[in-house]
Amino acid sequence: MIMGSASVASAAATVNTYSVAPGVRLNVRSGPGTNYNITRTLPEGTKVPIFCQTPGTTVSGYYGTSNIWDNVDNGEFVSDTYVNTGSDGYVADRCA
């Protein structure tokens, strides 16, 4: 277990944060799709960490259309179409 904890610590050290689209109050969901429950809503002007990314429901949002979902906290996801990553593709490792 100690090795697992060290891996999490080193992974957390390299996590980048990204801005949510301007003027958007972003829904955070319990899984990578619009069919999952909303766990909270982020206020305008928020930056989010992206721990990993995974495919899910396709969403059309501020930054285009994509099926990529960003893991922003333990068991919490947002659509990548509302996060300014500067890319139409993956910018973090795939979620396990």
Side-chain angles (χ1 to χ4, degrees):
M1 283 193 203
I2 294 173
M3 289 181 68
S5 296
S7 296
V8 170
S10 64
T14 60
V15 170
N16 291 319
T17 58
Y18 301 90
S19 296
V20 170
V24 171
R25 295 181 69 237
L26 186 58
N27 289 332
V28 179
R29 296 188 177 267
S30 60
T34 55
N35 56 321
Y36 289 90
N37 290 331
I38 296 171
T39 58
R40 60 189 168 120
T41 302
L42 300 174
E44 293 180 28
T46 299
K47 286 191 164 209
V48 293
I50 298 178
F51 295 101
C52 61
Q53 295 176 298
T54 192
T57 305
T58 298
V59 173
S60 293
Y62 191 90
Y63 294 112
T65 301
S66 175
N67 73 336
I68 298 173
W69 285 74
D70 304 332
N71 175 233
V72 298
D73 205 342
N74 188 24
E76 293 191 327
F77 295 82
V78 297
S79 170
D80 192 62
T81 61
Y82 291 98
V83 181
N84 187 8
T85 62
S87 172
D88 288 338
Y90 288 86
V91 297
D93 291 339
R94 294 271 185 120
C95 300

